[in-house]
Amino acid sequence: MVVVTLQRNKCIGCNYCVELAPQQFQMSKKDGKSVLLKSTDKKGFFTLKSNDDLIYNDCDNAAKACPVKIISVKQR
């Protein structure tokens, strides 16, 4: 299982996550910040739990590229 977390309120809208993991992230047209698709919000932390281990590498690359380090990716 892969767990991806996005701290959306700290997003600066650089778009790296969308470029590296377009299946999991997209940019909001309303505020220009990243959206973690199919995630649940808990106090500003958006979390996606997926059984698809194939998303790990793309999401991990997105987390590493994020200049404000607001994406975490764990594999269980």
Side-chain angles (χ1 to χ4, degrees):
M1 174 175 279
V2 178
V3 180
V4 183
T5 304
L6 170 69
Q7 207 173 343
R8 190 172 188 277
N9 61 338
K10 294 185 178 180
C11 179
I12 60 170
C14 72
N15 201 47
Y16 288 149
C17 57
V18 176
E19 290 176 23
L20 294 168
Q23 301 299 318
Q24 281 68 49
F25 295 94
Q26 73 180 32
M27 298 306 288
S28 169
K29 290 182 178 151
K30 288 184 181 179
D31 61 8
K33 293 185 178 189
S34 177
V35 175
L36 179 57
L37 302 173
K38 300 177 185 168
S39 64
T40 55
D41 177 18
K42 189 170 185 179
K43 297 184 179 179
F45 289 85
F46 290 80
T47 304
L48 166 68
K49 294 180 181 179
S50 175
N51 289 320
D52 183 2
D53 289 334
L54 298 176
I55 71 168
Y56 178 81
N57 286 338
D58 287 348
C59 291
D60 189 51
N61 288 337
K64 289 175 182 172
C66 180
V68 287
K69 304 299 179 205
I70 58 168
I71 302 169
S72 74
V73 182
K74 295 177 185 167
Q75 196 166 27
R76 296 183 181 171

Coordinates of all heavy atoms in Angstrom, one line a residue:
M1 N 0.8 -1.2 0.0 CA 0.0 0.0 0.0 C 0.9 1.2 0.0 O 1.9 1.3 0.7 CB -0.9 0.0 1.2 CG -1.7 1.3 1.4 SD -2.9 1.3 2.7 CE -4.2 0.4 1.9
V2 N 0.5 2.2 -0.8 CA 1.2 3.5 -0.8 C 0.3 4.6 -0.2 O -0.9 4.7 -0.5 CB 1.4 3.9 -2.3 CG1 2.1 5.3 -2.4 CG2 2.3 2.8 -3.0
V3 N 0.9 5.4 0.7 CA 0.2 6.5 1.4 C 0.9 7.8 1.0 O 2.0 8.0 1.3 CB 0.2 6.3 2.9 CG1 -0.6 7.4 3.5 CG2 -0.4 5.0 3.3
V4 N 0.1 8.7 0.3 CA 0.6 10.0 -0.1 C -0.2 11.0 0.7 O -1.4 11.0 0.8 CB 0.4 10.2 -1.6 CG1 1.0 11.5 -2.1 CG2 0.9 9.0 -2.4
T5 N 0.6 12.0 1.2 CA 0.0 13.1 2.0 C 0.4 14.4 1.4 O 1.6 14.6 1.1 CB 0.3 13.0 3.5 OG1 0.0 11.7 4.0 CG2 -0.4 14.1 4.3
L6 N -0.5 15.3 1.2 CA -0.2 16.7 0.7 C -0.7 17.7 1.7 O -1.9 17.7 2.1 CB -1.0 16.9 -0.6 CG -1.0 18.3 -1.2 CD1 0.4 18.7 -1.6 CD2 -2.0 18.4 -2.3
Q7 N 0.2 18.6 2.1 CA -0.2 19.7 3.0 C -0.6 20.9 2.1 O 0.3 21.8 1.9 CB 1.0 20.0 3.9 CG 0.6 20.6 5.3 CD 1.8 20.7 6.2 OE1 2.8 20.1 6.0 NE2 1.6 21.5 7.2
R8 N -1.8 20.9 1.6 CA -2.2 21.8 0.5 C -2.1 23.3 0.9 O -1.7 24.1 0.0 CB -3.6 21.4 0.1 CG -4.0 22.1 -1.1 CD -5.4 21.6 -1.6 NE -5.7 22.2 -2.9 CZ -6.2 23.4 -3.1 NH1 -6.5 24.2 -2.1 NH2 -6.4 23.8 -4.3
N9 N -2.4 23.7 2.1 CA -2.4 25.1 2.4 C -1.0 25.8 2.3 O -0.9 27.0 2.1 CB -3.0 25.4 3.8 CG -2.2 24.7 4.9 OD1 -1.4 23.8 4.7 ND2 -2.3 25.2 6.1
K10 N 0.1 25.0 2.2 CA 1.4 25.5 2.1 C 1.9 25.4 0.6 O 3.1 25.8 0.4 CB 2.4 24.7 3.0 CG 2.1 25.0 4.5 CD 3.1 24.3 5.3 CE 2.9 24.6 6.8 NZ 3.9 23.9 7.7
C11 N 1.1 24.9 -0.3 CA 1.4 24.8 -1.7 C 1.7 26.2 -2.3 O 0.9 27.1 -2.1 CB 0.3 24.1 -2.4 SG 0.6 23.9 -4.2
I12 N 2.8 26.3 -3.1 CA 3.1 27.5 -3.8 C 2.7 27.5 -5.3 O 3.0 28.4 -6.0 CB 4.6 27.9 -3.6 CG1 5.5 26.8 -4.2 CG2 4.9 28.2 -2.1 CD1 7.0 27.2 -4.3
G13 N 2.2 26.3 -5.7 CA 1.7 26.2 -7.1 C 2.8 26.1 -8.2 O 2.6 26.6 -9.3
C14 N 3.9 25.4 -7.8 CA 5.0 25.3 -8.8 C 4.7 24.3 -9.9 O 5.4 24.4 -10.9 CB 6.3 24.9 -8.0 SG 6.3 23.2 -7.5
N15 N 3.8 23.4 -9.7 CA 3.4 22.4 -10.7 C 4.3 21.2 -10.9 O 4.0 20.4 -11.8 CB 3.2 23.1 -12.1 CG 2.3 22.4 -13.0 OD1 1.2 21.9 -12.6 ND2 2.6 22.2 -14.3
Y16 N 5.4 21.1 -10.1 CA 6.3 19.9 -10.3 C 5.5 18.6 -10.0 O 5.8 17.6 -10.7 CB 7.5 20.0 -9.3 CG 8.5 21.1 -9.7 CD1 9.2 21.7 -8.7 CD2 8.7 21.4 -11.0 CE1 10.2 22.7 -9.1 CE2 9.7 22.3 -11.4 CZ 10.4 23.0 -10.4 OH 11.3 23.9 -10.7
C17 N 4.7 18.6 -9.0 CA 4.0 17.3 -8.7 C 3.1 16.9 -9.9 O 3.0 15.7 -10.2 CB 3.2 17.5 -7.4 SG 2.0 18.8 -7.5
V18 N 2.5 17.8 -10.5 CA 1.6 17.5 -11.7 C 2.4 16.9 -12.8 O 2.0 16.0 -13.5 CB 0.8 18.7 -12.1 CG1 -0.1 18.4 -13.3 CG2 -0.1 19.2 -11.0
E19 N 3.6 17.6 -13.1 CA 4.5 17.1 -14.1 C 5.0 15.7 -13.9 O 5.1 14.9 -14.8 CB 5.6 18.1 -14.3 CG 5.1 19.4 -14.9 CD 6.3 20.4 -15.0 OE1 7.5 20.0 -15.1 OE2 6.0 21.6 -15.0
L20 N 5.3 15.4 -12.6 CA 6.0 14.1 -12.3 C 5.0 13.0 -12.0 O 5.3 11.8 -12.1 CB 6.9 14.3 -11.1 CG 8.1 15.2 -11.5 CD1 8.9 15.6 -10.2 CD2 9.0 14.5 -12.5
A21 N 3.8 13.4 -11.5 CA 2.8 12.4 -11.1 C 1.4 12.8 -11.6 O 0.5 13.1 -10.7 CB 2.8 12.1 -9.6
P22 N 1.1 13.0 -12.9 CA -0.1 13.5 -13.3 C -1.3 12.7 -13.0 O -2.5 13.2 -13.0 CB 0.1 13.6 -14.9 CG 1.2 12.7 -15.2 CD 2.0 12.6 -14.0
Q23 N -1.2 11.4 -12.7 CA -2.3 10.5 -12.4 C -2.8 10.8 -11.0 O -3.9 10.5 -10.6 CB -1.9 9.1 -12.5 CG -1.4 8.7 -13.9 CD -2.5 8.9 -15.0 OE1 -3.7 8.6 -14.7 NE2 -2.1 9.4 -16.1
Q24 N -1.9 11.4 -10.1 CA -2.3 11.7 -8.7 C -2.5 13.1 -8.4 O -3.2 13.4 -7.4 CB -1.2 11.1 -7.8 CG -1.3 9.6 -7.6 CD -0.9 8.8 -8.8 OE1 0.1 9.1 -9.5 NE2 -1.7 7.9 -9.2
F25 N -1.9 14.0 -9.2 CA -2.0 15.5 -8.9 C -2.5 16.3 -10.0 O -2.3 15.9 -11.2 CB -0.6 16.0 -8.5 CG 0.0 15.4 -7.3 CD1 0.8 14.4 -7.3 CD2 -0.3 16.0 -6.0 CE1 1.4 13.8 -6.2 CE2 0.3 15.5 -4.9 CZ 1.1 14.4 -4.9
Q26 N -3.2 17.3 -9.7 CA -3.6 18.3 -10.7 C -3.6 19.7 -10.1 O -3.7 19.8 -8.8 CB -4.9 18.0 -11.4 CG -6.2 18.2 -10.6 CD -7.4 17.9 -11.4 OE1 -7.4 17.0 -12.2 NE2 -8.5 18.5 -11.0
M27 N -3.6 20.7 -10.9 CA -3.6 22.1 -10.3 C -5.1 22.6 -10.3 O -5.8 22.4 -11.2 CB -2.7 23.0 -11.2 CG -1.3 22.7 -11.2 SD -0.5 22.4 -9.6 CE -0.4 24.1 -9.0
S28 N -5.4 23.3 -9.2 CA -6.7 23.8 -9.1 C -6.9 25.1 -9.9 O -6.0 26.0 -9.9 CB -7.0 24.2 -7.6 OG -8.2 24.9 -7.5
K29 N -7.9 25.2 -10.6 CA -8.2 26.4 -11.4 C -8.6 27.6 -10.5 O -8.5 28.7 -10.9 CB -9.2 26.1 -12.5 CG -8.7 25.2 -13.6 CD -9.6 25.0 -14.7 CE -8.9 24.1 -15.7 NZ -9.8 23.3 -16.5
K30 N -9.2 27.2 -9.3 CA -9.7 28.3 -8.4 C -8.5 29.0 -7.7 O -8.5 30.3 -7.7 CB -10.5 27.6 -7.3 CG -11.9 27.2 -7.9 CD -12.7 26.7 -6.7 CE -14.1 26.2 -7.2 NZ -14.9 25.6 -6.2
D31 N -7.6 28.3 -7.2 CA -6.5 29.0 -6.4 C -5.1 28.7 -6.8 O -4.1 29.2 -6.3 CB -6.7 28.7 -4.9 CG -6.5 27.2 -4.6 OD1 -6.1 26.4 -5.5 OD2 -6.7 26.8 -3.4
G32 N -4.9 27.9 -7.9 CA -3.6 27.6 -8.4 C -2.7 26.7 -7.6 O -1.5 26.6 -7.8
K33 N -3.3 26.0 -6.6 CA -2.6 25.1 -5.8 C -2.8 23.7 -6.2 O -3.8 23.3 -6.9 CB -3.0 25.3 -4.3 CG -2.6 26.6 -3.7 CD -3.0 26.7 -2.3 CE -2.5 28.0 -1.7 NZ -2.6 28.0 -0.2
S34 N -1.9 22.8 -5.8 CA -2.0 21.4 -6.1 C -3.2 20.7 -5.5 O -3.6 21.0 -4.3 CB -0.7 20.7 -5.7 OG -0.8 19.3 -6.0
V35 N -3.8 19.7 -6.1 CA -4.9 18.9 -5.6 C -4.4 17.4 -5.7 O -4.0 17.0 -6.8 CB -6.2 19.1 -6.4 CG1 -7.3 18.2 -5.9 CG2 -6.6 20.5 -6.4
L36 N -4.5 16.7 -4.6 CA -4.2 15.3 -4.6 C -5.5 14.6 -4.9 O -6.4 14.6 -4.1 CB -3.6 14.9 -3.2 CG -3.3 13.4 -3.1 CD1 -2.3 12.9 -4.1 CD2 -2.7 13.1 -1.7
L37 N -5.6 14.0 -6.1 CA -6.8 13.4 -6.5 C -7.2 12.2 -5.7 O -6.3 11.4 -5.2 CB -6.6 12.9 -8.0 CG -6.3 14.1 -9.0 CD1 -6.0 13.5 -10.3 CD2 -7.4 15.1 -9.0
K38 N -8.5 12.0 -5.5 CA -9.1 10.9 -4.7 C -8.6 10.8 -3.3 O -8.5 9.8 -2.7 CB -8.8 9.6 -5.4 CG -9.4 9.5 -6.8 CD -9.1 8.2 -7.5 CE -9.6 8.2 -8.9 NZ -9.0 7.1 -9.7
S39 N -8.3 12.0 -2.7 CA -7.8 12.1 -1.3 C -8.8 12.5 -0.4 O -9.9 13.0 -0.8 CB -6.6 13.0 -1.2 OG -7.0 14.3 -1.5
T40 N -8.6 12.3 0.9 CA -9.5 12.7 2.0 C -8.8 13.8 2.8 O -7.6 13.8 3.0 CB -9.9 11.6 2.9 OG1 -8.7 11.0 3.4 CG2 -10.7 10.5 2.2
D41 N -9.5 14.8 3.2 CA -9.0 16.0 3.9 C -9.2 15.8 5.4 O -10.3 15.5 5.9 CB -9.7 17.3 3.4 CG -9.2 18.5 4.2 OD1 -8.1 18.5 4.8 OD2 -9.9 19.5 4.1
K42 N -8.1 16.0 6.1 CA -8.2 16.0 7.6 C -7.3 17.1 8.1 O -6.1 17.0 8.2 CB -7.7 14.6 8.2 CG -8.0 14.5 9.6 CD -7.8 13.1 10.1 CE -8.2 12.9 11.5 NZ -8.0 11.5 12.0
K43 N -8.0 18.2 8.4 CA -7.3 19.4 9.0 C -6.2 19.9 8.1 O -5.1 20.2 8.5 CB -6.8 19.1 10.4 CG -7.9 18.8 11.4 CD -7.4 18.7 12.8 CE -8.6 18.4 13.7 NZ -8.1 18.2 15.1
G44 N -6.5 20.0 6.8 CA -5.5 20.5 5.8 C -4.5 19.5 5.3 O -3.7 19.9 4.4
F45 N -4.5 18.3 5.8 CA -3.7 17.2 5.3 C -4.5 16.3 4.4 O -5.5 15.7 4.9 CB -3.1 16.4 6.4 CG -2.0 17.2 7.2 CD1 -2.4 18.0 8.2 CD2 -0.7 17.1 6.8 CE1 -1.4 18.7 8.9 CE2 0.3 17.7 7.5 CZ -0.1 18.6 8.6
F46 N -4.2 16.3 3.1 CA -5.0 15.5 2.1 C -4.2 14.2 1.9 O -3.0 14.2 1.6 CB -5.1 16.3 0.8 CG -6.0 17.4 0.9 CD1 -5.6 18.6 1.4 CD2 -7.3 17.3 0.5 CE1 -6.5 19.7 1.6 CE2 -8.2 18.4 0.6 CZ -7.8 19.6 1.1
T47 N -4.9 13.1 2.2 CA -4.2 11.8 2.2 C -4.9 10.8 1.2 O -6.1 10.8 1.1 CB -4.3 11.1 3.6 OG1 -3.7 12.0 4.5 CG2 -3.6 9.8 3.6
L48 N -4.0 10.2 0.4 CA -4.5 9.2 -0.6 C -3.9 7.8 -0.2 O -2.6 7.8 0.0 CB -4.0 9.5 -2.0 CG -4.1 8.4 -3.0 CD1 -5.5 8.1 -3.4 CD2 -3.3 8.8 -4.3
K49 N -4.7 6.8 0.0 CA -4.2 5.5 0.3 C -4.5 4.6 -0.9 O -5.7 4.5 -1.3 CB -4.9 4.9 1.6 CG -4.5 5.7 2.8 CD -5.1 5.1 4.0 CE -4.8 5.9 5.3 NZ -5.4 5.4 6.5
S50 N -3.5 4.0 -1.5 CA -3.7 3.3 -2.7 C -3.0 1.9 -2.6 O -1.9 1.8 -2.1 CB -3.1 4.0 -3.9 OG -3.2 3.3 -5.1
N51 N -3.7 0.9 -3.1 CA -3.1 -0.4 -3.2 C -2.3 -0.6 -4.5 O -1.6 -1.6 -4.7 CB -4.2 -1.5 -3.2 CG -4.9 -1.6 -1.8 OD1 -4.2 -1.5 -0.8 ND2 -6.2 -1.7 -1.8
D52 N -2.2 0.4 -5.3 CA -1.4 0.4 -6.5 C 0.0 0.8 -6.3 O 0.3 2.0 -6.2 CB -2.1 1.3 -7.6 CG -1.4 1.3 -8.9 OD1 -0.4 0.5 -9.1 OD2 -1.8 2.0 -9.8
D53 N 0.9 -0.1 -6.1 CA 2.3 0.2 -5.7 C 3.0 0.8 -6.9 O 4.1 1.4 -6.7 CB 3.0 -1.1 -5.4 CG 2.6 -1.6 -4.0 OD1 2.2 -0.8 -3.2 OD2 2.7 -2.8 -3.7
L54 N 2.4 0.8 -8.1 CA 3.1 1.4 -9.3 C 3.1 3.0 -9.2 O 3.9 3.6 -9.9 CB 2.4 1.0 -10.5 CG 2.4 -0.5 -10.8 CD1 1.5 -0.8 -12.1 CD2 3.8 -1.0 -11.0
I55 N 2.3 3.6 -8.3 CA 2.3 5.0 -8.2 C 3.4 5.5 -7.3 O 3.7 6.7 -7.2 CB 0.9 5.6 -7.7 CG1 0.7 5.2 -6.2 CG2 -0.2 5.1 -8.6 CD1 -0.5 6.0 -5.6
Y56 N 4.1 4.6 -6.6 CA 5.1 5.0 -5.6 C 6.2 5.9 -6.2 O 6.5 6.9 -5.7 CB 5.7 3.8 -4.8 CG 6.7 4.2 -3.9 CD1 6.4 4.7 -2.6 CD2 8.1 4.2 -4.2 CE1 7.4 5.1 -1.7 CE2 9.1 4.6 -3.3 CZ 8.7 5.0 -2.1 OH 9.7 5.4 -1.2
N57 N 6.8 5.4 -7.3 CA 7.9 6.1 -7.9 C 7.6 7.5 -8.3 O 8.3 8.4 -8.1 CB 8.5 5.3 -9.0 CG 9.3 4.1 -8.5 OD1 9.8 4.0 -7.4 ND2 9.5 3.1 -9.4
D58 N 6.5 7.6 -9.0 CA 6.0 9.0 -9.5 C 5.8 9.9 -8.3 O 6.2 11.1 -8.4 CB 4.8 8.9 -10.4 CG 5.1 8.3 -11.8 OD1 6.3 8.2 -12.1 OD2 4.1 8.0 -12.5
C59 N 5.1 9.4 -7.3 CA 4.7 10.3 -6.2 C 6.0 10.6 -5.4 O 6.1 11.7 -4.9 CB 3.7 9.6 -5.3 SG 2.1 9.5 -6.1
D60 N 6.9 9.6 -5.3 CA 8.2 9.9 -4.5 C 9.0 10.9 -5.3 O 9.6 11.8 -4.6 CB 8.9 8.6 -4.4 CG 10.1 8.7 -3.5 OD1 9.9 9.2 -2.3 OD2 11.2 8.3 -3.9
N61 N 9.0 10.9 -6.6 CA 9.8 11.9 -7.4 C 9.1 13.2 -7.2 O 9.8 14.3 -7.1 CB 9.8 11.5 -8.9 CG 10.7 10.3 -9.1 OD1 11.7 10.1 -8.3 ND2 10.5 9.6 -10.2
A62 N 7.8 13.3 -7.2 CA 7.1 14.5 -6.9 C 7.4 15.1 -5.6 O 7.7 16.3 -5.4 CB 5.6 14.3 -7.1
A63 N 7.5 14.3 -4.6 CA 7.8 14.7 -3.2 C 9.2 15.3 -3.1 O 9.5 16.3 -2.5 CB 7.6 13.5 -2.2
K64 N 10.1 14.6 -3.8 CA 11.5 15.0 -3.8 C 11.7 16.4 -4.6 O 12.5 17.2 -4.2 CB 12.4 14.0 -4.4 CG 12.6 12.8 -3.6 CD 13.4 11.7 -4.2 CE 13.5 10.4 -3.4 NZ 14.1 9.3 -4.1
A65 N 10.9 16.6 -5.6 CA 11.0 17.8 -6.4 C 10.3 19.0 -5.8 O 10.6 20.1 -6.1 CB 10.4 17.5 -7.8
C66 N 9.4 18.8 -4.9 CA 8.6 19.8 -4.3 C 9.5 20.8 -3.5 O 10.2 20.4 -2.5 CB 7.6 19.2 -3.3 SG 6.5 20.5 -2.5
P67 N 9.5 22.1 -3.9 CA 10.5 23.0 -3.3 C 10.1 23.4 -1.8 O 10.9 23.8 -1.1 CB 10.4 24.3 -4.2 CG 9.1 24.1 -4.9 CD 8.8 22.7 -5.0
V68 N 8.8 23.2 -1.5 CA 8.4 23.5 -0.1 C 8.2 22.3 0.8 O 7.8 22.4 1.9 CB 7.1 24.4 -0.1 CG1 7.5 25.8 -0.5 CG2 6.0 23.9 -0.9
K69 N 8.5 21.1 0.2 CA 8.5 19.8 0.9 C 7.2 19.5 1.7 O 7.2 19.2 2.9 CB 9.7 19.8 1.9 CG 11.0 20.0 1.3 CD 11.3 18.9 0.2 CE 12.7 19.1 -0.4 NZ 12.8 18.6 -1.8
I70 N 6.1 19.6 1.0 CA 4.8 19.4 1.6 C 4.1 18.1 1.2 O 3.0 17.9 1.5 CB 3.8 20.6 1.3 CG1 3.6 20.8 -0.2 CG2 4.3 21.9 1.9 CD1 2.5 21.7 -0.6
I71 N 4.9 17.3 0.5 CA 4.4 16.0 0.0 C 5.2 14.9 0.7 O 6.4 14.9 0.7 CB 4.5 15.8 -1.5 CG1 3.7 16.9 -2.3 CG2 4.0 14.4 -1.9 CD1 4.0 16.9 -3.7
S72 N 4.4 13.9 1.3 CA 5.1 12.8 1.9 C 4.6 11.5 1.2 O 3.4 11.4 0.9 CB 5.0 12.7 3.4 OG 3.7 12.3 3.8
V73 N 5.5 10.5 1.0 CA 5.1 9.3 0.4 C 5.7 8.1 1.2 O 6.9 8.1 1.5 CB 5.6 9.2 -1.1 CG1 5.1 7.9 -1.7 CG2 5.2 10.4 -1.8
K74 N 4.8 7.2 1.6 CA 5.2 6.0 2.4 C 4.7 4.8 1.7 O 3.6 4.8 1.1 CB 4.7 6.1 3.8 CG 5.3 7.2 4.6 CD 4.7 7.3 5.9 CE 5.2 8.6 6.7 NZ 4.5 8.9 7.8
Q75 N 5.5 3.7 1.7 CA 5.1 2.5 1.2 C 5.0 1.5 2.3 O 6.0 1.3 3.1 CB 6.1 2.0 0.1 CG 5.5 0.9 -0.8 CD 6.4 0.7 -2.0 OE1 7.6 1.0 -2.0 NE2 5.8 0.2 -3.1
R76 N 3.9 0.8 2.5 CA 3.7 -0.1 3.6 C 3.6 -1.5 3.1 O 3.1 -1.8 2.1 CB 2.5 0.3 4.4 CG 2.6 1.6 5.1 CD 1.4 1.9 5.9 NE 1.6 3.2 6.5 CZ 0.6 3.9 7.1 NH1 -0.5 3.3 7.3 NH2 0.9 5.1 7.6

